[in-house]
Amino acid sequence: MATSTPTPVEIIESGDAALRVVAGSPDREANWTTVHSLAAWLEAAGADGVHGAVPTYDSLLVEFDPYITSARQVRAFVLLGMRQLDYLGAPTRAPREFNVPVVYGGEYGPDLERVAEHEQLPVEEIIALHTAKSYIIRCLGAPAGSPMMDGPDFPLPVPRLKDPRLSVPAGAVSVAGRQAVIAPAVAPGGWCVIGQTPLTVLNATKEPLVPYQPGDVLRFHQITAEEFPLLAGRELEARQ
């Protein structure tokens, strides 16, 4: 069963311990703003039994303890949040900016030439397009808070690898479809790796584990393989 509100969202039961809130506007930016603003409101407002609000591009998973509360009560809480956002507007937060040095190609980007061939562009043009714009972090994905972003302005969507790798190194800079990502930790992966940053993205001794959050901005710039070891181990930090 789904419930509609004036700011078009659907609230759908997802098992017995979660609700999925889906924004249905034709405006992708409005959908993204809605689910992330609602997630922030739910986290700040708090409600007994509600212990998670995980936003993506256009939907939000609200997790709750069914022994403490019910789907009906959480639905009402979500609708209250939507009314508050409709009345007060979405909260604003100045995005932080991160500069990400990347070595492209070779052992650091084994799929760069594959992507260039698919796009029918020179390797240099692929790098130029990847470094040409700033990227808004849309949501955090697996593993370990990967920054999920809209991809570079390539002519064609980038296909995933037919045979995913069993291990992709931390700092791998990858593309697939119309998306871009950095791998904070070593993990399997089927995206095309076009480069690698020497910076440490994830720090297991800190909270939060990664320095960015949705809404922050990343900008990639090219460095040489000789510069990689000089920057290795430094943590990714926001610009001052």
Side-chain angles (χ1 to χ4, degrees), residues 113-181:
E113 292 187 2
R114 182 201 312 268
V115 172
E117 182 178 357
H118 174 76
E119 300 293 335
Q120 299 181 10
L121 293 172
V123 164
E124 294 75 16
E125 183 65 15
I126 295 296
I127 297 172
L129 288 171
H130 191 260
T131 57
K133 69 178 188 179
S134 298
Y135 298 82
I136 298 173
I137 299 174
R138 296 299 185 176
C139 62
L140 304 186
S146 300
M148 307 297 295
M149 300 165 282
D150 297 333
D153 296 326
F154 294 158
L156 302 170
V158 178
R160 297 192 182 204
L161 301 176
K162 293 181 179 179
D163 297 311
R165 293 185 174 89
L166 296 178
S167 179
V168 173
V173 174
S174 306
V175 290
R178 293 290 188 185
Q179 293 178 286
V181 74

Side-chain angles (χ1 to χ4, degrees), residues 63-81:
E63 301 170 305
F64 61 90
D65 187 336
Y67 291 101
I68 297 175
T69 188
S70 67
R72 181 178 179 181
Q73 290 173 310
V74 176
R75 181 188 298 269
F77 189 55
V78 168
L79 290 173
L80 173 62

Side-chain angles (χ1 to χ4, degrees), residues 9-31:
V9 299
E10 288 184 304
I11 304 175
I12 307 164
E13 292 188 20
S14 183
D16 58 2
L19 295 178
R20 184 166 175 254
V21 183
V22 182
S25 166
D27 185 335
R28 294 174 66 245
E29 291 294 329
N31 291 339

Side-chain angles (χ1 to χ4, degrees), residues 27-62:
D27 185 335
R28 294 174 66 245
E29 291 294 329
N31 291 339
W32 182 80
T33 298
T34 294
V35 297
H36 283 266
S37 298
L38 179 58
W41 185 90
L42 292 171
E43 293 284 359
D48 289 342
V50 176
H51 56 74
V54 184
T56 61
Y57 280 77
D58 61 0
S59 64
L60 170 70
L61 188 69
V62 184

Side-chain angles (χ1 to χ4, degrees), residues 7 31 42 46-47 80 82 85 108 117 150 164 185 191 210:
T7 52
N31 291 339
L42 292 171
L80 173 62
M82 290 302 303
L85 293 176
Y108 300 98
E117 182 178 357
D150 297 333
W191 290 36
V210 292

Side-chain angles (χ1 to χ4, degrees), residues 140 143-145 184-185 200-212 235-236:
L140 304 186
T200 297
V201 178
L202 179 146
N203 187 332
T205 67
K206 290 186 176 181
E207 183 61 39
L209 299 178
V210 292
Y212 46 74
E235 293 190 9
L236 176 63

